[in-house]
């Protein structure tokens, strides 16, 4: 079964064509920095590797470009769209409507659209990806895999807000959690790695997904028990353009005293805050480069970013009643030795001791970056949301 996986992030598209059930990746690639004149596009097969820098204004243009490569007469891997059996879509917010993977129909698309307000940077891009895929791969089953599904195991003590009960029972306002496909994939790989390396412990894990969007999950015995993102993918850690945690009083002050409209506040907190608001840059590579050149704003922003992560490590260790391993993943978590070092410095109380040389190594494999003396494992595990999505799509279509 040939399954195209489309993973549309707030400023990126990752994609793979996977033959199931063998998990054979026929081609893969990504587009990042969408919306900029310097978007990066990659297209990789067994015989070809293409990398381009070009302007890609939006997700629609990006997805159309990917489709052109898939069917290109020289470097393409399919001759006809009829060779594609299914398209699996990562959808960020499923709200209370979706707790499982589903085949997409008009009703599903309407519900995804109704959730735009809860994930304004993601669900519109996800729905646009579905529309483009329906037009290109007209014979394929379209399937949605929701980021929120993995976090359905978060207990009520953690997912309920301290607001009137009716807001949960009638309006379904609660912690939903996000990046679920990534946290599920890397946590399962972490547990398997720890067991295969004769580490008896492995029930208490904190997964740290760091990209343009960021989140952390406390995982006990393979299940999510707490998560930094909540009702929408906006709170918790400092992100590329999102503020993360903020005192609600600031919002009231902006509206009542400074004259901001609610729409202006939402735009600010979603698209103009985070690392962009602190530095003028939203891409961590630019921030690290400027920090190394002495930019004080960038240096402070990186320190703030790491400090927020450390706070959540402390609180989640308490919630787990112990800590066996932390896992860094996603674009920043996998590639930024700078951030990993900031996070793991002065964390001896939590049993963490970083090996600087291992931290600087690059690899596509699971790797430890802790010293032999470290009581807590520090792992870098490349996420593969696309494989996780493919597995869920395949299982659904076989059922």
């Amino acid at each position: 079964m040939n399954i195209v996986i489309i993973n549309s992030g707030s400023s990126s598209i990752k994609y793979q064509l996977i033959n199931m059930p063998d998990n054979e990746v026929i081609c893969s690639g990504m587009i990042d920095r969408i919306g900029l004149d310097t978007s990066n596009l990659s297209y990789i097969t067994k015989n070809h590797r293409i990398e381009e820098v070009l302007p890609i204004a939006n997700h629609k243009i990006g997805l159309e470009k990917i489709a052109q490569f898939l069917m290109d007469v020289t470097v393409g891997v399919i001759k006809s769209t009829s060779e594609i059996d299914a398209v699996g879509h990562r959808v960020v917010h499923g709200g209370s409507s979706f707790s499982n993977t589903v085949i997409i129909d008009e009703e599903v698309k309407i519900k995804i659209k109704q959730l735009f307000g809860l994930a304004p940077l993601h669900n519109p891009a996800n729905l646009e990806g579905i529309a483009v895929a329906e037009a290109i791969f007209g014979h394929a089953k379209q399937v949605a895999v929701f980021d929120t599904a993995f976090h359905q195991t978060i207990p009520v003590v953690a997912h309920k807000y301290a607001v009137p009960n009716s807001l949960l029972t009638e309006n379904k306002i609660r912690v939903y959690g996000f990046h679920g496909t990534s946290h599920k994939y890397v946590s399962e790989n972490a547990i398997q790695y720890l067991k295969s390396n004769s580490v008896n412990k492995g029930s208490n894990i904190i997964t740290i997904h760091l990209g343009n969007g960021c989140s952390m999950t406390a995982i006990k015995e393979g299940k999510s028990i707490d998560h930094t993102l909540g009702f929408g993918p906006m709170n918790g850690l400092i992100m590329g353009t999102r503020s993360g945690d903020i005192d609600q009083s600031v919002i009231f002050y902006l509206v009542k005293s400074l004259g901001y409209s609610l729409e202006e506040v939402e735009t600010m907190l979603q698209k103009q805050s985070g690392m962009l608001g602190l530095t003028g840059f939203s891409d961590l590579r630019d921030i690290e480069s400027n920090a190394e050149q002495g930019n004080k704003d960038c240096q402070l922003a990186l320190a703030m970013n790491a400090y927020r992560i450390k706070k959540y490590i402390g609180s989640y260790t308490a919630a787990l009643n112990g800590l066996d391993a932390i896992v860094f993943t996603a674009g920043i978590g996998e590639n930024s030795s700078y951030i990993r070092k900031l996070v793991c410095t002065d964390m001896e109380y939590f049993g963490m001791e970083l090996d600087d040389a291992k931290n600087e190594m690059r690899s596509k494999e699971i790797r430890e970056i802790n010293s032999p003396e470290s009581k807590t494992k520090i792992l870098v595990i490349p996420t593969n949301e696309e494989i996780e999505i493919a597995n869920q799509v395949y299982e659904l279509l076989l059922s």
Side-chain angles (χ1 to χ4, degrees):
M1 183 183 292
N2 285 332
I3 302 176
V4 171
I5 305 301
I6 296 175
N7 182 349
S8 296
S10 56
S11 63
S12 66
I13 304 170
K14 291 190 285 186
Y15 65 95
Q16 290 187 14
L17 172 55
I18 302 172
N19 181 260
M20 296 296 290
D22 297 328
N23 282 344
E24 178 191 3
V25 178
I26 298 171
C27 79
S28 64
M30 73 173 297
I31 301 173
D32 66 5
R33 299 191 181 203
I34 290 174
L36 302 179
D37 292 334
T38 55
S39 301
N40 299 306
L41 181 148
S42 65
Y43 173 81
I44 303 165
T45 70
K46 291 180 180 178
N47 301 316
H48 301 93
R49 184 182 185 94
I50 298 171
E51 295 181 350
E52 296 182 359
V53 177
L54 70 168
I56 295 180
N58 53 49
H59 287 72
K60 182 176 185 294
I61 292 172
L63 287 164
E64 290 173 345
K65 187 73 173 176
I66 291 166
Q68 290 172 14
F69 274 109
L70 288 174
M71 294 182 286
D72 186 85
V73 294
T74 303
V75 301
V77 291
I78 57 173
K79 294 180 180 180
S80 168
T81 57
S82 63
E83 297 176 42
I84 303 302
D85 300 294
V87 181
H89 299 268
R90 173 207 179 207
V91 180
V92 165
H93 211 310
S96 59
S97 300
F98 303 105
S99 58
N100 295 297
T101 299
V102 298
I103 294 175
I104 297 169
D105 57 19
E106 289 303 314
E107 184 180 355
V108 169
K109 287 187 286 186
I110 289 170
K111 289 182 178 178
I112 291 172
K113 188 172 183 178
Q114 290 172 345
L115 294 165
F116 276 12
L118 301 186
L121 296 183
H122 296 86
N123 271 35
N126 301 151
L127 188 59
E128 187 171 43
I130 291 168
V132 174
E134 285 178 329
I136 296 170
F137 306 105
H139 300 288
K141 293 285 187 182
Q142 307 289 328
V143 179
V145 177
F146 295 92
D147 263 6
T148 47
F150 178 60
H151 302 296
Q152 292 297 305
T153 55
I154 295 176
V156 64
V157 69
H159 79 234
K160 186 175 182 179
Y161 292 114
V163 294
N165 289 327
S166 60
L167 291 175
L168 173 60
T169 56
E170 297 175 18
N171 304 108
K172 310 303 181 186
I173 294 176
R174 52 158 289 179
V175 170
Y176 284 104
F178 301 92
H179 299 138
T181 50
S182 177
H183 287 288
K184 182 176 186 291
Y185 179 84
V186 298
S187 63
E188 288 175 350
N189 277 268
I191 292 167
Q192 184 178 14
Y193 174 86
L194 294 171
K195 289 181 178 177
S196 64
N197 284 271
S198 301
V199 178
N200 294 325
K201 297 187 298 181
S203 61
N204 297 322
I205 297 172
I206 297 173
T207 50
I208 308 170
H209 177 107
L210 302 177
N212 192 56
C214 302
S215 65
M216 293 171 60
T217 304
I219 297 171
K220 194 171 191 69
E221 297 177 353
K223 295 181 179 181
S224 171
I225 67 161
D226 207 345
H227 182 75
T228 56
L229 296 172
F231 184 61
M234 193 172 169
N235 59 305
L237 305 180
I238 297 171
M239 297 173 246
T241 64
R242 284 169 273 173
S243 66
D245 288 340
I246 188 169
D247 181 351
Q248 299 93 323
S249 299
V250 174
I251 298 172
F252 303 142
Y253 183 78
L254 289 169
V255 173
K256 293 181 178 180
S257 298
L258 300 186
Y260 282 77
S261 68
L262 286 174
E263 290 76 14
E264 288 172 330
V265 173
E266 182 180 20
T267 297
M268 177 195 296
L269 297 180
Q270 290 271 19
K271 299 182 179 180
Q272 299 169 351
S273 297
M275 300 301 276
L276 176 64
L278 293 171
T279 69
F281 304 100
S282 62
D283 193 295
L284 195 82
R285 291 166 290 193
D286 297 328
I287 297 169
E288 287 187 5
S289 175
N290 280 272
E292 290 170 356
Q293 296 171 24
N295 184 309
K296 298 296 185 183
D297 287 340
C298 290
Q299 290 171 353
L300 177 59
L302 290 167
M304 290 172 63
N305 190 305
Y307 180 75
R308 186 75 59 85
I309 295 168
K310 293 168 98 166
K311 284 176 66 176
Y312 272 105
I313 289 174
S315 64
Y316 284 175
T317 301
L320 291 164
N321 192 26
L323 183 60
D324 301 318
I326 65 169
V327 179
F328 289 98
T329 194
I332 293 170
E334 294 167 29
N335 296 304
S336 177
S337 59
Y338 195 126
I339 284 290
R340 293 194 300 261
K341 184 175 177 62
L342 285 178
V343 170
C344 295
T345 298
D346 297 328
M347 295 289 277
E348 294 86 359
Y349 186 81
F350 294 93
M352 294 183 205
E353 186 173 318
L354 189 71
D355 184 306
D356 289 333
K358 290 179 181 178
N359 187 40
E360 294 297 330
M361 293 172 59
R362 291 289 187 102
S363 173
K364 294 183 178 180
E365 305 299 323
I366 297 176
R367 63 190 188 276
E368 291 185 26
I369 58 172
N370 53 272
S371 71
E373 294 76 26
S374 182
K375 295 179 181 179
T376 298
K377 294 292 185 184
I378 307 171
L379 305 178
V380 179
I381 302 181
T383 192
N384 198 325
E385 293 171 295
E386 293 73 31
I387 288 290
E388 179 61 36
I389 293 169
N391 285 327
Q392 293 190 38
V393 171
Y394 183 71
E395 290 173 4
L396 174 67
L397 295 182
L398 282 187
S399 62

